[in-house]
Amino acid sequence: MKIETRIVLGTAFFLGLLLIVGWVALNEEGRMAEFTVQYEARSLERGATIYESNCSACHGAFGQGSGRAPALNNPRLFNGERLQEMKWAGGLYAYVENAISAGRPASVAYWPEAMPTWGQQYGGPLRTDQIRDVTRFVLNWESSALDEQNPPEVLQDFILPGIREEGDLQIMASGQPVGTDLAALELPVGDPVRGERLYNSNELGCSSCHMGGVIAPSTEGTVTRAEQRIATVAALANYTVEQYLIESILVPNAYLVPNEGSKVYATGGISIMQQNYSDRIDAQDLADLVAYLLTQG
Amino acid sequence: MSVLPFPSFLDDIKEKGARTAVSDLIDETVTRVTAGLNVRDIRELLRGEPPSRRPNPRLTPHADAFWMHMRPSYYHAAVTGVYPTLRLGWLTTYFFAVEIITGMFLMVFYTPSPLSAYDNMLNLLSNVPFGQFMRDLHRLGAEGMVMLVMLHMLRTYITGSYKRPRQFTWATGVILLLTTLILSFSGYLLPWDQLAFWAVTIGTSMAEAAPPEIVGKNVNLLLRGAPDIGAGGLLRFYLLHVFALPLATIIFLGVHYYKVVLHGHSLPPGEDEIGTDTAKRVPLERRVYFLPDILSNELMWVGAATFILVVLVVWFYHAPLESHADPQVTPLHTTAPWYFLWLQGLLKLGDKVFFGLVIPTLLFLFLLVMPYIDVGKSRRYAHRRLGLSLSMLAVAGFVILSWMGSPEYGVETSGDQEIAQILAPMEGVGPLRSVPFDELIPGTYHTLALDDAAAAASLTTRFEAEGRNMEMFTISAVPEDAPHLLSVLESFDRMFDTLGRDLPNAWGVLYIQDWQTDLKRIEIYIEWDTPLLTQNGEIARDAQGNILLELDENGNPIRASSGKAIYVHARSNYFGGGH
């Protein structure tokens, strides 16, 4: 009789076990889905915390931008315009994740301050899962950004106002060219900040050759070099630095910088510098560019 | 005649007839599989009848079968009840089996690398059917095993079963206790969450304290694989957890069981004459055979233990998974697992080397050799009053030290941080996150106003006069449809009486804002009068014990404040259970 009681009890336990495990099996799909939803929600909460301490100073607490970096709750981010503009072939999640991980270079045409790299694989401080958390948080602005009933009041676009949006360069291109008559040239007062922006812009592309001195002489030390040449080259006697720079931009072949080692700056009396800046910029642009270059020691 | 050197089955049929030949074949096969029991013996076993053959066929499997030869073939009737063993040793072994089986399932979904370990956990919980079930079973089984080993040791001590000739069995048991503790602890690191990272950082830094410096430094280096815990440390703990420690446990379990078979289960202390040990000389009438009585009993316990484990795991217990390990963020109140809290309590007493290393080592060594020191012959309770009292004192000391190891004892963080930590802990849920999302109605709720609209209005006026940032200091009364929020605010208020003793005239605010779609930001803001500090950095008090305040040039107290913000998403569902 003792054995029978044990066997009955043991069998009851095993049957109960089977019932519970079967019940768990039936609910497993739902449990896994629920876990995913909850985990993603908590990930978003962590992302909000990381955003508050690391990102909100530049992008604004509500993603509206703060003057140092563009707004993130921008409809153009969510409606695909921005992806097209950046020629991004992947999805929005990957775009945002990449921008956070890899950062953004400084660009006067867009934003003069670089966005740091945040992902650890790019040398930043945040782990992959933290990048994921922040990405989820940023993407959660989608519904409010696309809500036309509730347009964002103050949003800063991805491009600095006054460059592309207001067509600064387009106006410039349709304006009066400077011409090469240097004797009659009268320039307005130059703005070095705008000059730097032009210098680095895609439209003029000065920095693409002059930056770091890889292809053309370096931007840095422009004034020093100009002074040396004026002092040593007979043909440049009586030039001011300003005049030398203006001539170099508008008539690149007037004075050819000697080739240095493997660096070839001119062949057959023609400089490698683009020859058409006199047609592409107006007096104000030229004044601004020169004003900027004069700040380059 | 068969071509084989022995009669074939066909020959058997010719000789005995088909029916007898088949039944003989079945009988022979069953006898081989069961290492000695034929069909008839098994039928008798299941019916609970005495064996009909002599010698007793139920003893043969213990000699012939691999799985059985480490079990005694019969037990003394005096040890088959719940007393004296309480089945603790056997249950521990069973839990070890549960750990091995569930552990093998978990291994399939796990890579020991900081880059993937945490993601493996998430995958296990969100994408693997029965993944959470297995993980919870593994974790609960581990905690259960630790508890069972400890109780088993206590039981062995109380019934005096460690005495001659079982001293060495006790020593192997102490080693098994140690391997169980380290097995459980080494499993901590594997999910690579904050709990893992910091518990193991503390554990290995205790090893680092071992003198002389060159030894401690190198032990630490061996354990972590680098000065800090990283990929190397995780791999080492993984290999310890899945290979070295289980191997050691299996070996010592073998020795332990072998010794039990060798000496027999010790009888209850009153059963034997003092100084004799008759466990191996069991009179025929007091024998209870392993087959079938003990085995069926054990199978019932397997059912019961598994059933209880599964019920707990399905409805009551989920293994915690904290946030991803982060060397930059130390969570407030990191504690050791409960079975090492006594060690943490010891550490609060003073020197890290003495209390963290010397005392535990001496304790372990003492346990190991204890049966060789306590050579008193009698196992009777009445004769061992001193020993039993000392052991009860030791248990009490263990409990007290464990309590001292908890964050409640000797914590040095300030009251405002404690309160914020209780309301919204860095890891885990806490009362604030448990408030239903709908009740987190945007507004500023003040502990002095609670659900009182008039008080709220007067506070608003006061703060406006003080020229504060009114976005945050426009106080609202808690609406009627937010009872959970109100109860959190009430407990917030109450905490100033207990934890806020060093915060004169303190009050707190919950500032709730809509932040994003389905996302709210809650700031816990606490403000108090700055106490005057003595030169030692302690709070200055007057003769009556009242806290002295730091005053500005107009003689008004200077207010100090601290804040902590959390975010709550509608679907994170802290209030709906989960973990």
Side-chain angles (χ1 to χ4, degrees), chain B residues 8 26 32 86 125-126 161 172 212 221 296 310 391 408 424 464-465 505 539:
Chain B
S8 73
I26 292 173
R32 284 187 186 175
L86 310 175
L125 295 171
S126 67
S161 304
T172 56
L221 213 53
S296 58
V310 166
S391 73
E408 274 175 54
E464 205 159 9
N505 304 320
I539 293 171

Side-chain angles (χ1 to χ4, degrees), chain A residues 6 13 17 28 31-32 34-39 41-42 45 48 52 62 127 129 132 137 140-141 143, chain B residues 119 122 125-127 130 132 293 296 304 307 324-326 516-517 521 567-569 572-574 579:
Chain A
R6 286 179 218 151
F13 279 130
L17 211 58
E28 231 4 40
R31 183 203 59 79
M32 291 191 293
E34 179 60 24
F35 180 89
T36 309
V37 167
Q38 287 186 22
Y39 180 77
R42 289 172 197 196
E45 291 168 5
E52 179 172 333
F62 294 95
R127 293 183 314 268
D129 61 297
R132 221 184 293 155
F137 174 74
N140 197 38
W141 268 310
S143 52
Chain B
D119 278 346
L122 295 180
L125 295 171
S126 67
N127 200 31
F130 285 100
Q132 187 187 37
D293 297 60
S296 58
F307 185 79
H324 191 291
D326 190 346
Q516 251 191 4
T517 314
R521 180 180 186 274
Y567 291 86
V568 177
H569 191 273
S572 53
N573 198 21
Y574 292 110
H579 52 81

Side-chain angles (χ1 to χ4, degrees), chain B residues 385-400:
Chain B
R385 291 200 172 104
L386 181 65
L388 291 177
S389 311
L390 284 178
S391 73
M392 290 304 121
L393 273 179
V395 171
F398 181 81
V399 172
I400 290 170

Side-chain angles (χ1 to χ4, degrees), chain A residues 5-294:
Chain A
T5 321
R6 286 179 218 151
I7 290 173
V8 167
L9 264 180
T11 313
F13 279 130
F14 277 113
L15 287 178
L17 211 58
L18 286 179
L19 280 177
I20 297 176
V21 172
W23 182 81
V24 172
L26 289 177
N27 289 306
E28 231 4 40
E29 289 289 335
R31 183 203 59 79
M32 291 191 293
E34 179 60 24
F35 180 89
T36 309
V37 167
Q38 287 186 22
Y39 180 77
E40 284 179 358
R42 289 172 197 196
S43 155
L44 198 155
E45 291 168 5
R46 281 195 300 276
T49 309
I50 297 173
Y51 182 91
E52 179 172 333
S53 47
N54 293 309
C55 321
S56 60
C58 294
H59 288 287
F62 294 95
Q64 77 278 23
S66 73
R68 295 171 69 189
L72 300 177
N73 59 358
N74 188 326
R76 295 216 298 118
L77 178 63
F78 296 99
N79 66 15
E81 274 179 34
R82 180 66 180 155
L83 296 189
Q84 279 183 358
E85 189 174 282
M86 298 300 284
K87 311 256 184 289
W88 185 266
L92 181 60
Y93 181 91
Y95 174 75
V96 175
E97 191 182 41
N98 178 270
I100 299 169
S101 311
R104 283 264 180 266
S107 146
V108 174
Y110 292 92
W111 291 88
E113 259 178 273
M115 165 150 160
T117 52
W118 290 101
Q120 269 179 353
Q121 70 269 46
Y122 298 98
L126 298 182
R127 293 183 314 268
T128 321
D129 61 297
Q130 289 172 315
I131 298 280
R132 221 184 293 155
D133 296 343
V134 183
T135 308
R136 282 202 179 102
F137 174 74
V138 169
L139 291 183
N140 197 38
W141 268 310
E142 176 166 5
S143 52
S144 57
L146 292 180
D147 186 2
E148 286 175 12
Q149 302 295 316
N150 185 21
E153 288 168 16
V154 191
L155 282 183
Q156 284 169 324
D157 208 345
F158 297 105
I159 301 160
L160 272 178
I163 286 288
R164 194 182 287 173
E165 200 172 60
E166 292 178 6
D168 233 22
L169 293 173
Q170 278 86 336
I171 292 166
M172 173 196 74
S174 63
Q176 197 61 38
V178 204
T180 52
D181 185 4
L182 296 180
L185 203 59
E186 276 184 36
L187 293 182
V189 179
D191 171 10
V193 174
R194 187 169 173 277
E196 183 181 7
R197 207 193 287 159
L198 288 170
Y199 190 82
N200 289 308
S201 68
N202 290 340
E203 278 72 13
L204 296 187
C206 312
S207 61
S208 54
C209 291
H210 286 281
M211 193 166 55
V214 179
I215 298 169
S218 174
T219 317
E220 285 167 21
T222 302
V223 175
T224 320
R225 280 196 309 275
E227 281 167 350
Q228 277 172 359
R229 279 172 201 149
I230 292 165
T232 52
V233 179
L236 297 177
N238 305 324
Y239 273 66
T240 62
V241 172
E242 201 177 349
Q243 283 172 333
Y244 171 71
L245 292 175
I246 291 171
E247 188 186 74
S248 300
I249 295 169
L250 298 181
V251 194
N253 301 337
Y255 169 71
L256 295 174
V257 178
N259 297 337
E260 291 174 45
S262 63
K263 287 183 186 169
V264 178
Y265 295 140
T267 45
I270 307 287
S271 169
I272 59 166
M273 172 136 164
Q274 293 188 28
Q275 304 282 334
N276 59 354
Y277 281 117
S278 59
D279 298 331
R280 287 166 60 194
I281 56 178
D282 62 16
Q284 181 65 57
D285 295 331
L286 184 61
D288 294 346
L289 280 170
V290 170
Y292 164 65
L293 287 174
L294 286 174

